[in-house]
Short mmCIF file of all heavy atoms in Angstrom, two decimals:
data_model
loop_
_atom_site.label_atom_id
_atom_site.label_comp_id
_atom_site.label_asym_id
_atom_site.label_seq_id
_atom_site.Cartn_x
_atom_site.Cartn_y
_atom_site.Cartn_z
N SER V 280 47.44 -15.09 22.24
CA SER V 280 48.25 -14.23 21.29
C SER V 280 48.07 -12.84 21.41
O SER V 280 48.91 -12.08 20.99
CB SER V 280 47.99 -14.68 19.83
OG SER V 280 48.39 -15.92 19.45
N VAL V 281 46.94 -12.43 22.12
CA VAL V 281 46.68 -10.96 22.23
C VAL V 281 47.67 -10.32 22.98
O VAL V 281 48.15 -9.06 22.59
CB VAL V 281 45.31 -10.76 22.81
CG1 VAL V 281 45.23 -10.99 24.35
CG2 VAL V 281 44.74 -9.30 22.53
N ILE V 282 48.44 -10.94 23.89
CA ILE V 282 49.40 -10.25 24.78
C ILE V 282 50.71 -9.90 23.93
O ILE V 282 51.44 -9.10 24.30
CB ILE V 282 49.77 -11.11 25.99
CG1 ILE V 282 50.45 -10.17 27.09
CG2 ILE V 282 50.52 -12.43 25.58
CD1 ILE V 282 50.47 -10.94 28.38
N ASN V 283 50.92 -10.71 22.86
CA ASN V 283 52.15 -10.42 22.07
C ASN V 283 52.28 -9.05 21.49
O ASN V 283 53.41 -8.49 21.49
CB ASN V 283 52.28 -11.40 20.82
CG ASN V 283 52.33 -12.87 21.29
OD1 ASN V 283 52.69 -13.08 22.50
ND2 ASN V 283 52.16 -13.83 20.48
N GLY V 284 51.16 -8.41 21.20
CA GLY V 284 51.16 -7.02 20.67
C GLY V 284 51.38 -5.98 21.81
O GLY V 284 51.77 -4.88 21.58
N ALA V 285 50.99 -6.47 23.05
CA ALA V 285 51.08 -5.53 24.21
C ALA V 285 52.26 -5.58 25.10
O ALA V 285 52.65 -4.57 25.84
CB ALA V 285 49.81 -5.74 25.02
N VAL V 286 53.01 -6.66 25.00
CA VAL V 286 53.96 -6.93 25.94
C VAL V 286 55.08 -5.88 25.94
O VAL V 286 55.60 -5.41 27.00
CB VAL V 286 54.64 -8.37 25.77
CG1 VAL V 286 55.29 -8.45 24.37
CG2 VAL V 286 55.72 -8.63 26.82
N LYS V 287 55.60 -5.43 24.76
CA LYS V 287 56.74 -4.39 24.76
C LYS V 287 56.16 -3.10 25.36
O LYS V 287 56.91 -2.43 26.10
CB LYS V 287 57.14 -4.22 23.28
CG LYS V 287 58.35 -3.23 23.18
CD LYS V 287 58.71 -3.04 21.78
CE LYS V 287 59.94 -2.15 21.66
NZ LYS V 287 60.35 -1.95 20.21
N ALA V 288 54.96 -2.72 25.06
CA ALA V 288 54.41 -1.43 25.59
C ALA V 288 54.30 -1.46 27.10
O ALA V 288 54.77 -0.47 27.83
CB ALA V 288 53.14 -1.11 24.87
N PHE V 289 53.68 -2.44 27.67
CA PHE V 289 53.51 -2.52 29.12
C PHE V 289 54.79 -2.88 29.88
O PHE V 289 55.00 -2.36 30.96
CB PHE V 289 52.43 -3.34 29.55
CG PHE V 289 52.60 -4.87 29.56
CD1 PHE V 289 53.59 -5.54 30.41
CD2 PHE V 289 51.84 -5.73 28.79
CE1 PHE V 289 53.69 -6.87 30.41
CE2 PHE V 289 51.93 -7.03 28.72
CZ PHE V 289 53.01 -7.74 29.55
N THR V 290 55.73 -3.47 29.17
CA THR V 290 57.08 -3.64 29.81
C THR V 290 57.77 -2.27 30.00
O THR V 290 58.41 -1.98 30.96
CB THR V 290 58.02 -4.54 28.84
OG1 THR V 290 57.38 -5.87 28.86
CG2 THR V 290 59.38 -4.64 29.44
N GLU V 291 57.59 -1.41 29.00
CA GLU V 291 58.17 -0.11 29.09
C GLU V 291 57.41 0.77 30.04
O GLU V 291 58.09 1.57 30.78
CB GLU V 291 58.24 0.59 27.76
CG GLU V 291 59.19 -0.16 26.73
CD GLU V 291 59.21 0.54 25.34
OE1 GLU V 291 58.29 1.31 25.07
OE2 GLU V 291 59.95 0.03 24.50
N GLU V 292 56.15 0.73 30.06
CA GLU V 292 55.27 1.57 30.85
C GLU V 292 55.57 1.36 32.34
O GLU V 292 55.62 2.16 33.20
CB GLU V 292 53.80 1.47 30.62
CG GLU V 292 52.96 2.31 31.42
CD GLU V 292 51.56 2.55 30.83
OE1 GLU V 292 51.45 2.46 29.64
OE2 GLU V 292 50.56 2.87 31.61
N PHE V 293 55.59 -0.02 32.69
CA PHE V 293 55.80 -0.41 34.04
C PHE V 293 57.30 -0.52 34.46
O PHE V 293 57.64 -1.10 35.59
CB PHE V 293 55.06 -1.62 34.42
CG PHE V 293 53.57 -1.42 34.18
CD1 PHE V 293 52.79 -2.52 33.75
CD2 PHE V 293 52.90 -0.48 34.56
CE1 PHE V 293 51.40 -2.46 33.55
CE2 PHE V 293 51.49 -0.24 34.39
CZ PHE V 293 50.70 -1.17 33.82
N ALA V 294 58.19 -0.37 33.61
CA ALA V 294 59.63 -0.40 33.71
C ALA V 294 60.02 -1.77 34.25
O ALA V 294 60.66 -2.01 35.35
CB ALA V 294 60.12 0.54 34.68
N LEU V 295 59.63 -2.85 33.51
CA LEU V 295 59.82 -4.24 33.93
C LEU V 295 61.22 -4.85 33.43
O LEU V 295 61.63 -4.38 32.26
CB LEU V 295 58.64 -5.24 33.41
CG LEU V 295 57.28 -4.65 33.77
CD1 LEU V 295 56.31 -5.67 33.19
CD2 LEU V 295 57.16 -4.58 35.30
N GLY V 296 61.74 -5.61 34.25
CA GLY V 296 62.91 -6.42 33.82
C GLY V 296 62.53 -7.55 32.95
O GLY V 296 61.26 -7.98 32.83
N ASP V 297 63.35 -8.35 32.33
CA ASP V 297 63.00 -9.52 31.44
C ASP V 297 62.23 -10.53 32.23
O ASP V 297 61.27 -11.15 31.75
CB ASP V 297 64.29 -10.08 30.87
CG ASP V 297 64.91 -9.14 29.80
OD1 ASP V 297 64.16 -8.23 29.39
OD2 ASP V 297 66.09 -9.24 29.48
N ALA V 298 62.76 -10.84 33.49
CA ALA V 298 62.08 -11.97 34.09
C ALA V 298 60.65 -11.70 34.57
O ALA V 298 59.76 -12.50 34.36
CB ALA V 298 62.93 -12.24 35.38
N LEU V 299 60.42 -10.38 35.03
CA LEU V 299 59.10 -10.08 35.40
C LEU V 299 58.16 -9.84 34.14
O LEU V 299 57.01 -10.24 34.24
CB LEU V 299 59.11 -8.79 36.22
CG LEU V 299 57.71 -8.34 37.08
CD1 LEU V 299 57.36 -9.59 37.90
CD2 LEU V 299 58.01 -7.13 37.82
N SER V 300 58.67 -9.39 33.07
CA SER V 300 57.91 -9.24 31.85
C SER V 300 57.54 -10.61 31.40
O SER V 300 56.36 -10.88 31.02
CB SER V 300 58.75 -8.44 30.82
OG SER V 300 58.07 -8.40 29.58
N GLY V 301 58.48 -11.46 31.43
CA GLY V 301 58.18 -12.87 30.99
C GLY V 301 57.15 -13.60 31.84
O GLY V 301 56.36 -14.26 31.26
N PHE V 302 57.20 -13.42 33.10
CA PHE V 302 56.27 -13.95 33.99
C PHE V 302 54.85 -13.36 33.69
O PHE V 302 53.89 -14.11 33.86
CB PHE V 302 56.61 -13.77 35.49
CG PHE V 302 55.68 -14.40 36.41
CD1 PHE V 302 55.76 -15.82 36.58
CD2 PHE V 302 54.86 -13.66 37.12
CE1 PHE V 302 54.89 -16.41 37.41
CE2 PHE V 302 54.05 -14.32 38.05
CZ PHE V 302 54.01 -15.73 38.11
N ALA V 303 54.78 -12.15 33.47
CA ALA V 303 53.51 -11.58 33.18
C ALA V 303 52.91 -12.01 32.00
O ALA V 303 51.65 -12.14 31.87
CB ALA V 303 53.60 -9.92 32.99
N VAL V 304 53.69 -12.47 30.98
CA VAL V 304 53.19 -13.12 29.79
C VAL V 304 52.65 -14.58 30.07
O VAL V 304 51.77 -15.03 29.68
CB VAL V 304 54.27 -13.16 28.64
CG1 VAL V 304 53.81 -14.06 27.46
CG2 VAL V 304 54.55 -11.74 28.18
#
């Protein structure tokens, strides 16, 4: 669950698309 609070922030910082962001999770 800890990644749930971080996912939006690192998605924006690393300029990720939905697919790559979802895979990182």
